[in-house]
Amino acid sequence: MNDRTEQVDDLQLVAMPSAVGCAEMFVRFSLTEWSLRDMRDTAAEAARVITEAVVSTANPATPGMVTARVRLSGADLIFEVETPRAVAAPAIPGVHRTGTTQIGPGRYVVWCALALPSGMSASAVPLPRRQRKPSQAARQVAPEEPMTTDPDVMRRILFGLNSPDQRP
């Protein structure tokens, strides 16, 4: 069996309660991108349970950062949260393989592995292509023009983003 990681996405989060929803959305998005829509609900639930376990051990005064990671390896989809604290791996309904692994001094990974659909391996999962492709309509309007940005427009956008909100 090939246990090589074929695809990985990760997300840095502050170990606060809001990280739970962010981890769920992150997993749903990644699995949609990887064409693993059938696994989204189970994987999102696993992400929720693991992230809640990690966040519950954080000190609210100084929560620190954690890294949520989803990866395809061998015949598994693996969700993990890297944290500076040792956290017992929680029981997750429908998931049989979970654990906590120390990966260095003060570095732990709380993880779970979900089997990919029958007969599928990580190398067979269709991964997204991230290249810029203009639509057919855009090619007809400006087939040879390079895409440029007006510097004045960019300055106004950046000014608007950096100025404090004046609304009550």
Side-chain angles (χ1 to χ4, degrees):
M1 176 199 276
N2 177 10
D3 285 335
R4 188 178 104 190
T5 296
E6 297 288 339
Q7 179 72 355
V8 64
D9 276 341
D10 59 22
L11 179 67
Q12 290 265 309
L13 300 166
V14 177
M16 298 287 289
S18 61
V20 175
C22 292
E24 282 185 78
M25 287 189 295
F26 166 66
V27 168
R28 286 183 182 280
F29 176 78
S30 295
L31 270 59
T32 299
E33 288 267 292
W34 297 345
S35 301
L36 293 171
R37 287 180 175 87
D38 294 343
M39 296 183 72
R40 284 186 304 194
D41 291 339
T42 304
E45 174 66 12
R48 184 188 64 75
V49 171
I50 288 176
T51 308
E52 278 179 344
V54 169
V55 167
S56 71
T57 66
N59 178 351
T62 56
M65 300 295 289
V66 297
T67 301
R69 186 174 299 115
V70 62
R71 60 188 176 94
L72 296 169
S73 183
D76 295 318
L77 170 77
I78 300 166
F79 176 76
E80 55 193 28
V81 176
E82 187 174 327
T83 177
R85 292 167 297 283
V87 177
I92 304 169
V95 177
H96 302 292
R97 293 180 30 216
T98 63
T100 299
T101 306
Q102 185 171 7
I103 57 173
R107 291 180 59 212
Y108 300 86
V109 173
V110 184
W111 59 271
C112 71
L114 295 95
L116 289 170
S118 181
M120 184 179 277
S121 69
S123 59
V125 172
L127 301 177
R129 297 192 180 272
R130 301 194 192 273
Q131 59 187 356
R132 190 178 188 136
K133 287 194 222 177
S135 68
Q136 185 67 27
R139 282 193 293 260
Q140 290 174 352
V141 172
E144 300 298 321
E145 279 185 41
M147 293 186 73
T148 59
T149 305
D150 182 359
D152 187 50
V153 171
M154 291 306 295
R155 274 192 293 279
R156 289 187 298 183
I157 290 171
L158 291 172
F159 177 77
L161 291 172
N162 288 325
S163 63
D165 192 10
Q166 300 297 325
R167 295 182 202 143

